[in-house]
Amino acid sequence: MKIVSEITEVRNQIKAWRQEGCTVGLVPTMGYLHEGHLSLIDRARENHKVVVSIFVNPMQFGPTEDLASYPRDLQRDAKLCEEHGVDLIFHPNPEEMYDKNFCSYVDMGVLTEELCGLSRPVHFRGVCTVVTKLFNIVTPDRAYFGQKDAQQLAIIKRMVKDLNMPLEIVGCPIVREEDGLAKSSRNTYLSKEERKAALVLSRAVFLGEKMVRDGERDCSKVLDAMTKEIAKEPLAKIDYVKMVDLLTMQQIEKIETGVLAAMAVYIGNTRLIDNFLISVS
């Protein structure tokens, strides 16, 4: 396994692999890998070669967000990558990705205007820009993203379609702790008490999903039950709990086809997300 920090090094390696007839899978991450990331890497092994990018992207953090404190441990990440069969880690510094005169961005309307896009207005422009750059650098056949960031997954799928990018986006299921909490690098911020309180997110998700599976089609009733469940936890502060159309990310009143029920909740100072996807007929 190689660890490289320069774009030219990545391109040279990809060129050599292409000459050998290899397919390439890309797993974009911000590092501090957990079992969710590792499930993406394992899925990416369906390609001949796997590239993992580890880059804490400053462009997707707002001025009051946790860029400086975001957990980083390249040595630990590299060990996990090697154990899971990764061929190349791309670990650039910010200056390699964005030179001092950088002024080009990839932006999107509609899908970015709801859910996390409301409370984090610069976030998805940063995500779309860095992901586009990674696609241009690595030129993968497939790229892998987790359902935990369901809005991000929908946005990237739409961006690839709209811009005719020649790759497949593969969405992979949420990986949870044994007690239900969705895996996240930000879980490391939680105190013992907060970690216990954070289970209110998955409880609300499982409650809402069961209601829909049992036949409830009124979004307001599902959301009301989920919100009341979260409100039982004193350490929880809701950013949003919403149900949106799976393709447009716009709020809906009735569940008729594919739906995403998504939430962002602060546990203490830590903002966590969770969701469920469901299709009905």
Side-chain angles (χ1 to χ4, degrees), residues 176-189:
R176 298 184 180 276
E177 304 279 1
E178 288 187 12
D179 58 8
L181 183 66
K183 297 273 188 178
S184 171
S185 300
R186 289 190 168 92
N187 291 348
T188 60
Y189 299 159

Side-chain angles (χ1 to χ4, degrees), residues 3-275:
I3 303 176
V4 302
S5 59
E6 295 182 1
I7 293 168
T8 54
E9 292 180 273
V10 178
R11 286 182 163 154
N12 288 339
Q13 182 62 76
I14 298 295
K15 182 179 179 181
W17 287 341
R18 294 300 187 193
Q19 289 172 345
E20 297 170 6
C22 295
T23 56
V24 177
L26 171 66
V27 181
T29 83
M30 293 205 299
Y32 214 76
L33 305 182
H34 52 66
E35 286 87 346
H37 298 112
L38 299 178
S39 72
L40 304 182
I41 293 170
D42 292 343
R43 176 70 186 275
R45 292 303 317 166
E46 64 187 340
N47 302 278
H48 296 111
K49 302 292 182 181
V50 176
V51 177
V52 172
S53 63
I54 296 177
F55 177 59
V56 181
N57 176 33
M59 192 183 290
Q60 68 193 65
F61 288 79
T64 63
E65 294 181 335
D66 56 344
L67 174 60
S69 61
Y70 196 87
R72 297 161 169 87
D73 191 338
L74 180 60
Q75 185 175 357
R76 171 185 171 277
D77 289 346
K79 184 175 185 293
L80 289 170
C81 284
E82 191 154 32
E83 289 172 355
H84 284 258
V86 171
D87 299 282
L88 179 73
I89 293 176
F90 177 41
H91 180 58
N93 60 41
E95 294 72 28
E96 179 74 3
M97 294 295 280
Y98 307 116
D99 68 34
K100 64 179 180 179
N101 295 315
F102 188 89
C103 57
S104 301
Y105 304 93
V106 180
D107 212 343
M108 182 187 291
V110 185
L111 273 72
T112 63
E113 293 165 1
E114 258 295 351
L115 306 179
C116 288
L118 286 175
S119 55
R120 305 183 70 193
V122 303
H123 177 68
F124 286 120
R125 183 173 81 160
V127 169
C128 289
T129 300
V130 77
V131 168
T132 298
K133 286 177 68 67
L134 290 169
F135 290 170
N136 285 334
I137 293 164
V138 179
T139 61
D141 298 276
R142 301 175 186 90
Y144 299 80
F145 296 85
Q147 183 198 309
K148 185 177 74 70
D149 297 295
Q151 185 178 17
Q152 173 180 275
L153 174 59
I155 286 167
I156 291 169
K157 282 185 174 181
R158 186 71 204 189
M159 179 183 76
V160 165
K161 182 178 185 293
D162 286 354
L163 300 183
N164 306 108
M165 295 180 176
L167 76 155
E168 177 187 356
I169 301 301
V170 181
C172 300
I174 295 174
V175 176
R176 298 184 180 276
E177 304 279 1
E178 288 187 12
D179 58 8
L181 183 66
K183 297 273 188 178
S184 171
S185 300
R186 289 190 168 92
N187 291 348
T188 60
Y189 299 159
L190 301 171
S191 68
K192 187 175 181 180
E193 182 184 12
E194 289 169 342
R195 172 64 179 75
K196 185 177 180 181
L199 294 177
V200 73
L201 278 83
S202 54
R203 287 201 301 271
V205 162
F206 299 153
L207 171 62
E209 186 172 20
K210 183 178 187 303
M211 290 178 69
V212 177
R213 292 196 185 282
D214 288 347
E216 182 58 69
R217 297 293 180 263
D218 186 331
C219 292
S220 64
K221 291 181 180 179
V222 178
L223 294 173
D224 183 59
M226 294 172 68
T227 300
K228 286 179 177 176
E229 182 66 29
I230 297 168
K232 294 176 184 177
E233 173 50 61
L235 294 181
K237 178 184 176 184
I238 294 173
D239 181 356
Y240 67 80
V241 182
K242 295 181 180 180
M243 301 188 84
V244 298
D245 180 271
L246 197 52
L247 295 178
T248 67
M249 294 290 119
Q250 300 304 296
Q251 290 189 69
I252 56 174
E253 295 180 358
K254 295 285 289 184
I255 301 168
E256 296 177 332
T257 53
V259 64
L260 165 66
M263 66 178 69
V265 177
Y266 285 92
I267 303 296
N269 294 320
T270 303
R271 185 178 183 274
L272 301 176
I273 59 174
D274 205 342
N275 66 76

